[in-house]
Amino acid sequence: MRAQTDVIIKRKHAANIRKGYPLIEKEALLAQAFSAREGSILKLYDEDKRYIGTGYYGIQNKGIGWIVSTNPNEIMADDSFFKKRFQTAFAKRKDYIEDQETTAFRLFNGEGDGIGGLSMDYFAGYLVINWYSEGIYSFKPYVLDALESTMAFKGIYEKKRFDQKGTYIEDNDFIKGTPAPEPLQIKENGMQYAVYLNDGAMVGIFLDQREVRRLVRDQYANGKHVLNTFSYTGAFSVAAALGGARTVSVDLAKRSDEKTKEQFLVNGLNPEEHEIRVMDVFDYFKYAKRKAIYYDMVILDPPSFARSKKHVFRSAKDYPALLQQAIEITKDRGIIVASTNNASISMKKFKAFITEAFNKTQCSFKMHEVLSLPRDFVYCKEYKGSNYLKVVVIEVFHK
Ligand code: SAH
């Protein structure tokens, strides 16, 4: 039998949870002295002992667990619970599952699909499960059984993202089925990407930028000279190149060179016609400025936090300064694709960052498009942090 603990939730928090707020925060508990094991079922009651919801205990940096049901009779430690949530989630992605031109997408998106702390991605017939706490990991047998009966798959991998700092635990990530080829080739709106499902925390592509890559390829790339900063495996560079651009990719990770070349090659593009620079983006900005190199388009998709030898970059504080440097090497009428995945920066704040950055330059701007998460990344309206992606396409005017 799985352990179960009743907890009393403070009045203010109880009201939010009743409106759909899915996260269980430590400070929401009336009695702070509280002990439960990871994976314990938590039954939540208000101060008048009225039932609010059922959740599980699983420590993440955000909170201590997630509410997964508002039905007092529903049992979470059971395949039928997961089966029901998965069926609903997969039905919402029916068109993705059937799409021949896009074979990689988010299949299950945490609290957006009713179970915080758990997400799953689909890569050309293979599934990758992300576990964000030991608590949710303890439900693995139910999750696997439920998948067996709700989804056709060739093989399953997992990413355990729950060491003390909430980061990935290195392991053999293959769980069952047939192992995927390495690389596994996936398609996205007709583009090809090489991914590696058993090579650490990241597989080689961030699926949430799919529509941005399409936009870059179809509407902004043709004939342009494009700088892709924080380029990782060069996913944006490939999109721009397929749209008819000449690209420069900059990332300080050594492996980005070989990874980016591979993405060009699987698309039938010649990597020699593009530049790949393994270096610090901040140094590259200085270099481009000194050499008076100006770009038609700059893609700016930094991580929320990054530490290099010389810099610590925190997007919540340093984004305006980063954007300012990008503006300074963008041509008149050039485009900047500015993006952040930092959940703590709201769209409003992000737009304020953009204004702040331009105010420090001799340039003005016009916003052309504002994008956020694609439809497969179903988010929870009651929990702002789950709608984390902000992308703004900006035209730059030199005064
Ligand atoms: N924009 C990418 C994803 C970025 S992931 C995409 O669309 O696929 C973050 C990348 O930033 C990592 O590859 C990391 O190596 C790189 N990075 C972090 N700090 C950096 C810095 N100061 N200069 C260059 N690259 C950096």
Short mmCIF file of all heavy atoms in Angstrom, two decimals, residues 22-71:
data_model
loop_
_atom_site.label_atom_id
_atom_site.label_comp_id
_atom_site.label_asym_id
_atom_site.label_seq_id
_atom_site.Cartn_x
_atom_site.Cartn_y
_atom_site.Cartn_z
N PRO A 22 -2.05 24.23 -9.67
CA PRO A 22 -1.71 22.81 -9.53
C PRO A 22 -0.54 22.49 -8.59
O PRO A 22 -0.33 21.33 -8.25
CB PRO A 22 -1.31 22.44 -10.96
CG PRO A 22 -0.68 23.70 -11.49
CD PRO A 22 -1.41 24.85 -10.84
N LEU A 23 0.23 23.51 -8.21
CA LEU A 23 1.46 23.25 -7.47
C LEU A 23 1.20 23.24 -5.97
O LEU A 23 0.47 24.08 -5.46
CB LEU A 23 2.48 24.35 -7.82
CG LEU A 23 3.89 24.23 -7.24
CD1 LEU A 23 4.60 22.99 -7.79
CD2 LEU A 23 4.70 25.48 -7.58
N ILE A 24 1.82 22.29 -5.26
CA ILE A 24 1.75 22.30 -3.80
C ILE A 24 3.03 22.94 -3.28
O ILE A 24 4.13 22.40 -3.48
CB ILE A 24 1.60 20.87 -3.21
CG1 ILE A 24 0.44 20.14 -3.89
CG2 ILE A 24 1.39 20.94 -1.70
CD1 ILE A 24 0.32 18.67 -3.49
N GLU A 25 2.88 24.11 -2.68
CA GLU A 25 4.05 24.81 -2.16
C GLU A 25 4.18 24.53 -0.68
O GLU A 25 3.18 24.41 0.02
CB GLU A 25 3.91 26.32 -2.40
CG GLU A 25 4.05 26.67 -3.87
CD GLU A 25 3.41 28.00 -4.24
OE1 GLU A 25 2.30 28.30 -3.74
OE2 GLU A 25 4.02 28.74 -5.00
N LYS A 26 5.42 24.50 -0.22
CA LYS A 26 5.66 24.20 1.19
C LYS A 26 4.91 25.19 2.09
O LYS A 26 4.29 24.80 3.08
CB LYS A 26 7.18 24.25 1.45
CG LYS A 26 7.62 23.95 2.86
CD LYS A 26 7.86 22.45 3.03
CE LYS A 26 8.50 22.04 4.35
NZ LYS A 26 7.73 22.26 5.55
N GLU A 27 4.94 26.47 1.71
CA GLU A 27 4.33 27.47 2.58
C GLU A 27 2.79 27.41 2.56
O GLU A 27 2.15 28.08 3.36
CB GLU A 27 4.84 28.88 2.28
CG GLU A 27 4.65 29.39 0.88
CD GLU A 27 5.79 28.98 -0.07
OE1 GLU A 27 6.53 28.01 0.24
OE2 GLU A 27 5.91 29.60 -1.13
N ALA A 28 2.22 26.60 1.69
CA ALA A 28 0.75 26.47 1.67
C ALA A 28 0.25 25.58 2.80
O ALA A 28 -0.94 25.58 3.15
CB ALA A 28 0.31 25.89 0.33
N LEU A 29 1.17 24.80 3.39
CA LEU A 29 0.75 23.86 4.43
C LEU A 29 0.56 24.58 5.75
O LEU A 29 1.41 25.37 6.17
CB LEU A 29 1.79 22.76 4.61
CG LEU A 29 2.22 21.99 3.35
CD1 LEU A 29 3.24 20.92 3.70
CD2 LEU A 29 1.02 21.37 2.66
N LEU A 30 -0.54 24.31 6.42
CA LEU A 30 -0.82 24.98 7.70
C LEU A 30 0.19 24.55 8.76
O LEU A 30 0.75 25.37 9.47
CB LEU A 30 -2.25 24.65 8.15
CG LEU A 30 -2.76 25.44 9.36
CD1 LEU A 30 -2.85 26.94 9.04
CD2 LEU A 30 -4.13 24.92 9.80
N ALA A 31 0.42 23.23 8.83
CA ALA A 31 1.41 22.74 9.79
C ALA A 31 2.72 22.57 9.05
O ALA A 31 2.82 21.76 8.13
CB ALA A 31 0.96 21.41 10.37
N GLN A 32 3.72 23.34 9.42
CA GLN A 32 4.99 23.25 8.70
C GLN A 32 5.77 21.98 9.07
O GLN A 32 6.56 21.51 8.28
CB GLN A 32 5.83 24.51 8.95
CG GLN A 32 5.29 25.73 8.20
CD GLN A 32 5.36 25.56 6.67
OE1 GLN A 32 6.40 25.29 6.11
NE2 GLN A 32 4.21 25.71 6.01
N ALA A 33 5.51 21.47 10.28
CA ALA A 33 6.15 20.21 10.65
C ALA A 33 5.39 19.12 9.90
O ALA A 33 4.22 18.87 10.16
CB ALA A 33 6.04 19.98 12.14
N PHE A 34 6.05 18.54 8.93
CA PHE A 34 5.34 17.66 8.02
C PHE A 34 6.32 16.64 7.52
O PHE A 34 7.44 16.98 7.14
CB PHE A 34 4.80 18.54 6.89
CG PHE A 34 4.49 17.83 5.62
CD1 PHE A 34 3.33 17.10 5.48
CD2 PHE A 34 5.37 17.89 4.55
CE1 PHE A 34 3.04 16.46 4.30
CE2 PHE A 34 5.10 17.25 3.37
CZ PHE A 34 3.92 16.53 3.25
N SER A 35 5.96 15.38 7.59
CA SER A 35 6.89 14.42 7.03
C SER A 35 6.13 13.46 6.14
O SER A 35 5.08 12.94 6.51
CB SER A 35 7.64 13.68 8.14
OG SER A 35 6.82 12.67 8.67
N ALA A 36 6.65 13.29 4.95
CA ALA A 36 6.06 12.33 4.02
C ALA A 36 7.20 11.81 3.17
O ALA A 36 8.22 12.47 3.05
CB ALA A 36 5.02 13.01 3.14
N ARG A 37 7.01 10.64 2.63
CA ARG A 37 8.05 10.08 1.74
C ARG A 37 7.76 10.51 0.31
O ARG A 37 6.62 10.70 -0.07
CB ARG A 37 8.01 8.56 1.83
CG ARG A 37 8.75 8.01 3.03
CD ARG A 37 9.49 6.70 2.68
NE ARG A 37 8.70 5.79 1.86
CZ ARG A 37 7.83 4.90 2.36
NH1 ARG A 37 7.63 4.81 3.64
NH2 ARG A 37 7.17 4.10 1.54
N GLU A 38 8.81 10.65 -0.50
CA GLU A 38 8.64 10.92 -1.92
C GLU A 38 7.65 9.91 -2.51
O GLU A 38 7.79 8.70 -2.27
CB GLU A 38 9.98 10.80 -2.65
CG GLU A 38 10.95 11.92 -2.36
CD GLU A 38 10.79 13.11 -3.31
OE1 GLU A 38 10.17 12.97 -4.38
OE2 GLU A 38 11.28 14.19 -2.95
N GLY A 39 6.68 10.39 -3.23
CA GLY A 39 5.72 9.49 -3.85
C GLY A 39 4.49 9.22 -2.99
O GLY A 39 3.55 8.57 -3.45
N SER A 40 4.48 9.73 -1.75
CA SER A 40 3.27 9.56 -0.92
C SER A 40 2.12 10.34 -1.55
O SER A 40 2.33 11.40 -2.14
CB SER A 40 3.47 10.15 0.47
OG SER A 40 4.43 9.43 1.17
N ILE A 41 0.93 9.80 -1.35
CA ILE A 41 -0.27 10.52 -1.80
C ILE A 41 -0.59 11.57 -0.74
O ILE A 41 -0.58 11.29 0.46
CB ILE A 41 -1.45 9.53 -1.94
CG1 ILE A 41 -1.13 8.44 -2.95
CG2 ILE A 41 -2.73 10.27 -2.28
CD1 ILE A 41 -0.92 8.90 -4.37
N LEU A 42 -0.88 12.79 -1.20
CA LEU A 42 -1.29 13.84 -0.26
C LEU A 42 -2.76 14.14 -0.51
O LEU A 42 -3.16 14.41 -1.65
CB LEU A 42 -0.46 15.11 -0.49
CG LEU A 42 1.06 14.98 -0.33
CD1 LEU A 42 1.75 16.32 -0.59
CD2 LEU A 42 1.43 14.46 1.06
N LYS A 43 -3.55 14.06 0.57
CA LYS A 43 -4.95 14.48 0.44
C LYS A 43 -5.04 15.85 1.06
O LYS A 43 -4.70 16.05 2.23
CB LYS A 43 -5.87 13.49 1.16
CG LYS A 43 -6.07 12.23 0.35
CD LYS A 43 -7.55 11.88 0.23
CE LYS A 43 -7.74 10.95 -0.96
NZ LYS A 43 -9.10 10.47 -1.10
N LEU A 44 -5.50 16.81 0.27
CA LEU A 44 -5.50 18.19 0.72
C LEU A 44 -6.88 18.60 1.23
O LEU A 44 -7.90 18.36 0.56
CB LEU A 44 -5.11 19.11 -0.44
CG LEU A 44 -3.62 19.26 -0.78
CD1 LEU A 44 -2.91 17.95 -1.00
CD2 LEU A 44 -3.45 20.17 -2.00
N TYR A 45 -6.88 19.22 2.40
CA TYR A 45 -8.12 19.72 3.00
C TYR A 45 -7.93 21.18 3.36
O TYR A 45 -6.80 21.63 3.59
CB TYR A 45 -8.46 18.93 4.27
CG TYR A 45 -8.79 17.48 3.98
CD1 TYR A 45 -7.78 16.51 3.95
CD2 TYR A 45 -10.10 17.08 3.70
CE1 TYR A 45 -8.06 15.19 3.64
CE2 TYR A 45 -10.40 15.76 3.40
CZ TYR A 45 -9.37 14.81 3.37
OH TYR A 45 -9.66 13.52 3.06
N ASP A 46 -9.03 21.94 3.41
CA ASP A 46 -8.91 23.34 3.85
C ASP A 46 -9.02 23.40 5.37
O ASP A 46 -9.15 22.37 6.04
CB ASP A 46 -9.93 24.25 3.12
CG ASP A 46 -11.37 23.90 3.46
OD1 ASP A 46 -11.61 23.18 4.48
OD2 ASP A 46 -12.27 24.35 2.74
N GLU A 47 -8.96 24.61 5.91
CA GLU A 47 -8.93 24.75 7.36
C GLU A 47 -10.25 24.31 8.01
O GLU A 47 -10.31 24.08 9.21
CB GLU A 47 -8.57 26.19 7.75
CG GLU A 47 -7.12 26.52 7.35
CD GLU A 47 -6.70 27.91 7.78
OE1 GLU A 47 -7.11 28.35 8.88
OE2 GLU A 47 -5.95 28.56 7.01
N ASP A 48 -11.30 24.21 7.19
CA ASP A 48 -12.59 23.70 7.71
C ASP A 48 -12.75 22.21 7.45
O ASP A 48 -13.85 21.67 7.50
CB ASP A 48 -13.74 24.47 7.07
CG ASP A 48 -13.60 25.97 7.29
OD1 ASP A 48 -13.22 26.36 8.41
OD2 ASP A 48 -13.81 26.74 6.32
N LYS A 49 -11.64 21.58 7.09
CA LYS A 49 -11.59 20.12 6.86
C LYS A 49 -12.39 19.68 5.63
O LYS A 49 -12.83 18.55 5.53
CB LYS A 49 -12.09 19.32 8.10
CG LYS A 49 -11.41 19.71 9.39
CD LYS A 49 -10.21 18.81 9.63
CE LYS A 49 -9.18 19.40 10.58
NZ LYS A 49 -9.66 19.87 11.85
N ARG A 50 -12.60 20.62 4.72
CA ARG A 50 -13.28 20.23 3.48
C ARG A 50 -12.24 19.80 2.45
O ARG A 50 -11.21 20.45 2.29
CB ARG A 50 -14.11 21.39 2.92
CG ARG A 50 -15.41 21.62 3.71
CD ARG A 50 -16.15 22.77 3.12
NE ARG A 50 -15.24 23.92 3.00
CZ ARG A 50 -15.62 25.14 2.66
NH1 ARG A 50 -16.89 25.41 2.39
NH2 ARG A 50 -14.73 26.11 2.58
N TYR A 51 -12.54 18.73 1.73
CA TYR A 51 -11.61 18.19 0.72
C TYR A 51 -11.35 19.21 -0.39
O TYR A 51 -12.28 19.87 -0.88
CB TYR A 51 -12.22 16.91 0.13
CG TYR A 51 -11.46 16.36 -1.06
CD1 TYR A 51 -10.32 15.59 -0.89
CD2 TYR A 51 -11.91 16.60 -2.37
CE1 TYR A 51 -9.63 15.07 -1.98
CE2 TYR A 51 -11.22 16.10 -3.47
CZ TYR A 51 -10.08 15.34 -3.26
OH TYR A 51 -9.40 14.83 -4.35
N ILE A 52 -10.10 19.36 -0.79
CA ILE A 52 -9.76 20.26 -1.91
C ILE A 52 -9.26 19.46 -3.11
O ILE A 52 -9.67 19.69 -4.24
CB ILE A 52 -8.63 21.25 -1.55
CG1 ILE A 52 -8.89 21.96 -0.22
CG2 ILE A 52 -8.46 22.27 -2.66
CD1 ILE A 52 -7.67 22.76 0.25
N GLY A 53 -8.36 18.54 -2.86
CA GLY A 53 -7.78 17.82 -3.99
C GLY A 53 -6.81 16.75 -3.52
O GLY A 53 -6.50 16.66 -2.33
N THR A 54 -6.34 15.97 -4.50
CA THR A 54 -5.39 14.90 -4.20
C THR A 54 -4.13 15.16 -5.02
O THR A 54 -4.22 15.56 -6.19
CB THR A 54 -5.98 13.54 -4.60
OG1 THR A 54 -7.23 13.38 -3.92
CG2 THR A 54 -5.05 12.38 -4.23
N GLY A 55 -3.00 14.92 -4.38
CA GLY A 55 -1.74 15.11 -5.11
C GLY A 55 -0.71 14.10 -4.66
O GLY A 55 -1.04 13.12 -3.99
N TYR A 56 0.52 14.34 -5.08
CA TYR A 56 1.59 13.47 -4.61
C TYR A 56 2.73 14.32 -4.09
O TYR A 56 2.88 15.48 -4.46
CB TYR A 56 2.06 12.51 -5.72
CG TYR A 56 2.85 13.18 -6.81
CD1 TYR A 56 4.24 13.31 -6.73
CD2 TYR A 56 2.22 13.70 -7.94
CE1 TYR A 56 4.97 13.94 -7.73
CE2 TYR A 56 2.94 14.32 -8.95
CZ TYR A 56 4.31 14.43 -8.84
OH TYR A 56 5.04 15.07 -9.82
N TYR A 57 3.52 13.72 -3.24
CA TYR A 57 4.68 14.40 -2.66
C TYR A 57 5.89 14.12 -3.53
O TYR A 57 6.25 12.95 -3.77
CB TYR A 57 4.91 13.87 -1.24
CG TYR A 57 5.99 14.58 -0.47
CD1 TYR A 57 5.87 15.92 -0.16
CD2 TYR A 57 7.13 13.89 -0.05
CE1 TYR A 57 6.87 16.58 0.56
CE2 TYR A 57 8.13 14.54 0.67
CZ TYR A 57 7.99 15.89 0.97
OH TYR A 57 8.97 16.53 1.67
N GLY A 58 6.50 15.18 -4.04
CA GLY A 58 7.68 15.03 -4.89
C GLY A 58 8.39 16.37 -4.92
O GLY A 58 7.84 17.35 -5.41
N ILE A 59 9.59 16.40 -4.39
CA ILE A 59 10.27 17.69 -4.24
C ILE A 59 10.93 18.12 -5.54
O ILE A 59 11.70 17.38 -6.14
CB ILE A 59 11.32 17.61 -3.11
CG1 ILE A 59 10.58 17.33 -1.79
CG2 ILE A 59 12.13 18.90 -3.02
CD1 ILE A 59 11.46 17.36 -0.59
N GLN A 60 10.58 19.31 -5.98
CA GLN A 60 11.23 19.95 -7.12
C GLN A 60 11.64 21.33 -6.65
O GLN A 60 11.20 21.78 -5.60
CB GLN A 60 10.23 20.12 -8.27
CG GLN A 60 9.98 18.87 -9.07
CD GLN A 60 9.01 19.11 -10.22
OE1 GLN A 60 7.98 18.47 -10.28
NE2 GLN A 60 9.33 20.07 -11.10
N ASN A 61 12.42 22.05 -7.46
CA ASN A 61 12.78 23.39 -7.00
C ASN A 61 11.55 24.29 -6.85
O ASN A 61 11.53 25.21 -6.06
CB ASN A 61 13.83 24.01 -7.92
CG ASN A 61 13.45 23.88 -9.38
OD1 ASN A 61 12.36 23.39 -9.69
ND2 ASN A 61 14.31 24.31 -10.27
N LYS A 62 10.48 23.97 -7.59
CA LYS A 62 9.30 24.84 -7.55
C LYS A 62 8.43 24.62 -6.32
O LYS A 62 7.80 25.53 -5.82
CB LYS A 62 8.41 24.56 -8.76
CG LYS A 62 9.12 24.68 -10.05
CD LYS A 62 8.24 24.14 -11.18
CE LYS A 62 8.96 24.31 -12.50
NZ LYS A 62 8.20 23.79 -13.62
N GLY A 63 8.31 23.40 -5.87
CA GLY A 63 7.39 23.10 -4.78
C GLY A 63 7.61 21.70 -4.27
O GLY A 63 8.60 21.05 -4.61
N ILE A 64 6.65 21.21 -3.48
CA ILE A 64 6.86 19.89 -2.88
C ILE A 64 5.93 18.83 -3.47
O ILE A 64 5.86 17.71 -2.97
CB ILE A 64 6.67 19.94 -1.34
CG1 ILE A 64 5.26 20.41 -0.99
CG2 ILE A 64 7.72 20.86 -0.70
CD1 ILE A 64 4.86 20.07 0.43
N GLY A 65 5.22 19.20 -4.51
CA GLY A 65 4.36 18.20 -5.15
C GLY A 65 3.33 18.86 -6.04
O GLY A 65 3.33 20.08 -6.21
N TRP A 66 2.49 18.04 -6.62
CA TRP A 66 1.49 18.54 -7.57
C TRP A 66 0.12 17.95 -7.26
O TRP A 66 0.02 16.77 -6.89
CB TRP A 66 1.87 18.15 -9.00
CG TRP A 66 3.15 18.77 -9.47
CD1 TRP A 66 4.40 18.22 -9.37
CD2 TRP A 66 3.32 20.04 -10.09
NE1 TRP A 66 5.33 19.08 -9.91
CE2 TRP A 66 4.70 20.20 -10.37
CE3 TRP A 66 2.43 21.07 -10.46
CZ2 TRP A 66 5.22 21.35 -10.98
CZ3 TRP A 66 2.95 22.20 -11.08
CH2 TRP A 66 4.33 22.33 -11.33
N ILE A 67 -0.90 18.74 -7.47
CA ILE A 67 -2.27 18.25 -7.35
C ILE A 67 -2.64 17.59 -8.67
O ILE A 67 -2.41 18.16 -9.74
CB ILE A 67 -3.21 19.42 -7.02
CG1 ILE A 67 -2.86 19.95 -5.63
CG2 ILE A 67 -4.69 18.99 -7.07
CD1 ILE A 67 -2.93 21.40 -5.49
N VAL A 68 -3.18 16.40 -8.61
CA VAL A 68 -3.46 15.67 -9.85
C VAL A 68 -4.93 15.29 -9.99
O VAL A 68 -5.33 14.75 -11.03
CB VAL A 68 -2.59 14.39 -9.97
CG1 VAL A 68 -1.11 14.75 -10.01
CG2 VAL A 68 -2.86 13.41 -8.84
N SER A 69 -5.71 15.56 -8.94
CA SER A 69 -7.13 15.19 -9.05
C SER A 69 -7.95 16.02 -8.08
O SER A 69 -7.46 16.45 -7.04
CB SER A 69 -7.29 13.70 -8.70
OG SER A 69 -8.65 13.33 -8.73
N THR A 70 -9.20 16.26 -8.45
CA THR A 70 -10.10 16.93 -7.50
C THR A 70 -11.27 16.00 -7.19
O THR A 70 -12.32 16.43 -6.73
CB THR A 70 -10.63 18.26 -8.07
OG1 THR A 70 -11.13 18.02 -9.39
CG2 THR A 70 -9.52 19.31 -8.15
N ASN A 71 -11.03 14.72 -7.45
CA ASN A 71 -12.05 13.71 -7.14
C ASN A 71 -11.54 12.87 -5.96
O ASN A 71 -10.55 12.15 -6.11
CB ASN A 71 -12.27 12.86 -8.40
CG ASN A 71 -13.15 11.65 -8.13
OD1 ASN A 71 -13.59 11.40 -7.00
ND2 ASN A 71 -13.40 10.88 -9.17
#
